[in-house]
Amino acid sequence: MSPAGRDSQLRHRPAGALTRAVAAAALAAAICGSAFAQVARSIDDETLADRPIAKLNFKGLSRVTEREILNNIRVAAGQPFDPKSVRNDVSTLYRLGQFGTINAVAAVLPDGTVDLTYVFIEQPIVKDLQVVGNKLISDQELRKVIPLYAGGPRDDFLLEQSVSRIKDLYRKRGNYLADVTVDESRLKDTGILILRIAEGPRVKIKEIEFIGNASLNATELAGEIKTRTSVPLFTKGELDEELLIDDVASLDKYYKDRGFVDVRVDRRVEISADSKEAKVSFVISEGRRYRLRSVVVEGIGAEGVKPLLVLNPTQISDLLYIHAGDIYSRLKLDKSIASVRDTYLLLGYVDVEVNDRTVRVGEQAEVDLLLAVREGPRTVAGLLNIQGNFLTKDKIVRRLVRIQPGRVLDGRELDRATERVKATQLFNDVRITVQRPRADEQDALDTDTAQAAAAKSGAKPDASKTDASKPDEKKSDEKTGETRAALVRSEVRDILVEVKERNTGSVNFGLGLGTDSGVFGELSVNQKNFDIADTPESFDELVAGRAFRGAGQQFSMTLAPGDQVSTIGVDILEPHLFETDYALRFAPSYRLRLYQDYTESKGTVPLTLSRRLGDFWTVGLTTAATWVKLSDFDSSTPIEDYEDRGPATYASGGFFVKRTDVDRPMQPSRGSNAEFSLTQWESISGGSPFTVLRTGYTQFFTVAEDFIGRRTTLKLNSDVGYIFGGDAPVYEKFYLGGRSFRGFDFRTISPKSTASIDPTIPPANDPIGGNWLFFLGSQLEQPLFQNTFSGVVFIDSGTVTEDVTLGQYRVSIGAGIRLHIPQFGPAPLAFDFAIPLLKEDTDETQVFSFSAEIPF
């Protein structure tokens, strides 16, 4: 056999051990010398092509069966010989991971047919898998990232992958120099795979340096990277190679956003002698800062450049945020492309594509910008199809997807509707897509739009009869053609909304405690997708959760007995009454509250009718019937409380206006919340009527955001209340203190009593409430560990008096912690320490206050 023939027999061997390759060659040579001495040839020999294959032979199989081989190859006896098919089969067999080497040997038999033999050397079996040298990471955790397993064949690819994954696992924990080696001799002799780990010390970053940044200062660049130096209790500062790669990309983008088109960024890591500290240097070659010389806008189609039919180049240029003479900023360019795209989406061109290309101009630091716009057809909304809502009614989704069939589709609504449907928290997954054009309505639409285009331009239906010699008519015809081109290319396309329902019902048990409310237990039943009209047809349907569900209503029932406060209540909300934008809420409740001097029993039956105005505003009307009784007085109870003991019954009615544009309902970091309400109270049991005015405003600011997305948030909030028009009872007046004004005892910021029930007992300095409330506060929250643990510093200030005044003003400052644990509910566990700076002699202070609710 020629050297070329021997080489061709081994050409399918992957990278492996030299000993296995030599063994395979020897085995193949032996087979060729004995079995196929007639005419042995290379499988690439042209004389073998199209000869029929007499039979297939498999040599070297021990663990793998011939049947498994036959199931994974396409070459078969009786087929014409094709070397390409043989090579493909060898590649397929390698992917089984069972073989170290595979060789294909071909021989020509005396009758002219081909005898094809596959020669295998099987991978050794891994009898056991062991990890040694690991102290920081357990064996169980390491085994999760190792794709090999005991009892399976050796696979060099998976072995390399195991080594790489283990190193990545250690690097994420700060062991940048961790190394992993394979004990090859033990694996060969005993079949035991041993991965030896040298963990090395944790490398902490002590210094970050920027080199070559002549135009941008280091402080500015440091804000764009995620790598941080080690600061005890705040940042670990561990060296992470993947993070460094991301930082290089971030710096590159930051420079290009500021016109440095030729910037090059790299990083350099220097390890200390003890391998415990590192210095990271970002090496920057800024290059020149480019300006934009001109902008060229053109349309493109399937055949290449074509005229723009919807917006002309001048209109598109006016939409851009970058213009000739500006610094060439990638940030402004991306914003410009988004502006153009949004304009087309608004006009119904949902398939629009806007591509940019930069052309450098001569030796000057200038570039030309070429924007290529593929307009595509205009889309008219067809049917809105909803899939995946097995329990939830279609109307719940349809009213959130504000797409009207038969009208031009606003492409921006696709993303907006997706966010609105997700915000209901009724579904796990939401996807809204535009389907292919509907052929059944397309012809009619084309005819109608063509006639509309002709009528709009004043042209005759048959444009071919126009006299081209008349300039005015020719110009009109050209305009008609452009209008028709823009209108006729419309498509009717259905909208598909795919949702995946989630479990919206829950039964909760919990324990709550706080300095204002004492200790209480809680049992609640909640359903966010309630349907009051969907009564169960059987007990099994009720137990399975298929009853009282699907209409998008909200229902909750709560029972919370406590040592100071006990409540029971039901809350039912219909967010779209009679399929309108009006919402109706019915929330009767009863509360028993034990104060220091008396017990308050209060039942309320409120009804609220509201309407949303857009995405931010809500207006509404409220009415309620309230029953109150004070009891269990002692001799030192203020006379004002005793005189309002009741029982008393009130009817109230009023209106409110709210505006909310926060970025998220819980833990907001941006936006504001404002509310104004006016309520008139009328006594049914003979008391004095009165009016309550209340307004408040809260603003959230993101002060900073770190490299993992944690936001430092500043909250400014205010609250103003005023009671006028009559004498309000003590239980409807204003109080501050406790969690509402930290640093002071619960409800003690208030006018104080001047007499007790027993005239022989001096007044106990108890609060009796005021008619005027003013509060102003600020709080800064800084995440300390992930998004779970954060610290706050705050200032509270305000007063409660009988008359409108800022006298007797109080101020307190303090600090606290917040524990945001999703399993405990959306509200954080809050613990605060506060010290009054301004206070009255009669005030009662409270340094520590807290509020916590823990579910079981």
PDB file of all heavy atoms in Angstrom, residues 552 590 711:
ATOM      1  N   GLY A 552     -60.733  38.368  35.706  1.00  0.00           N
ATOM      2  CA  GLY A 552     -59.803  39.453  35.992  1.00  0.00           C
ATOM      3  C   GLY A 552     -60.152  40.297  37.194  1.00  0.00           C
ATOM      4  O   GLY A 552     -59.509  41.324  37.433  1.00  0.00           O
ATOM      5  N   TYR A 590     -63.989  45.202  59.538  1.00  0.00           N
ATOM      6  CA  TYR A 590     -64.236  45.489  60.953  1.00  0.00           C
ATOM      7  C   TYR A 590     -62.902  45.437  61.672  1.00  0.00           C
ATOM      8  O   TYR A 590     -62.099  44.517  61.466  1.00  0.00           O
ATOM      9  CB  TYR A 590     -65.199  44.465  61.562  1.00  0.00           C
ATOM     10  CG  TYR A 590     -65.383  44.649  63.056  1.00  0.00           C
ATOM     11  CD1 TYR A 590     -66.208  45.641  63.563  1.00  0.00           C
ATOM     12  CD2 TYR A 590     -64.703  43.823  63.959  1.00  0.00           C
ATOM     13  CE1 TYR A 590     -66.358  45.815  64.930  1.00  0.00           C
ATOM     14  CE2 TYR A 590     -64.851  43.986  65.327  1.00  0.00           C
ATOM     15  CZ  TYR A 590     -65.683  44.987  65.807  1.00  0.00           C
ATOM     16  OH  TYR A 590     -65.829  45.167  67.163  1.00  0.00           O
ATOM     17  N   ARG A 711     -29.787  49.967  42.686  1.00  0.00           N
ATOM     18  CA  ARG A 711     -29.998  51.407  42.589  1.00  0.00           C
ATOM     19  C   ARG A 711     -30.047  52.063  43.959  1.00  0.00           C
ATOM     20  O   ARG A 711     -30.753  51.587  44.858  1.00  0.00           O
ATOM     21  CB  ARG A 711     -31.307  51.681  41.846  1.00  0.00           C
ATOM     22  CG  ARG A 711     -31.308  51.185  40.420  1.00  0.00           C
ATOM     23  CD  ARG A 711     -32.673  51.349  39.781  1.00  0.00           C
ATOM     24  NE  ARG A 711     -32.675  50.859  38.394  1.00  0.00           N
ATOM     25  CZ  ARG A 711     -33.746  50.794  37.628  1.00  0.00           C
ATOM     26  NH1 ARG A 711     -34.925  51.186  38.110  1.00  0.00           N
ATOM     27  NH2 ARG A 711     -33.666  50.337  36.401  1.00  0.00           N
TER      28      ARG A 711
END
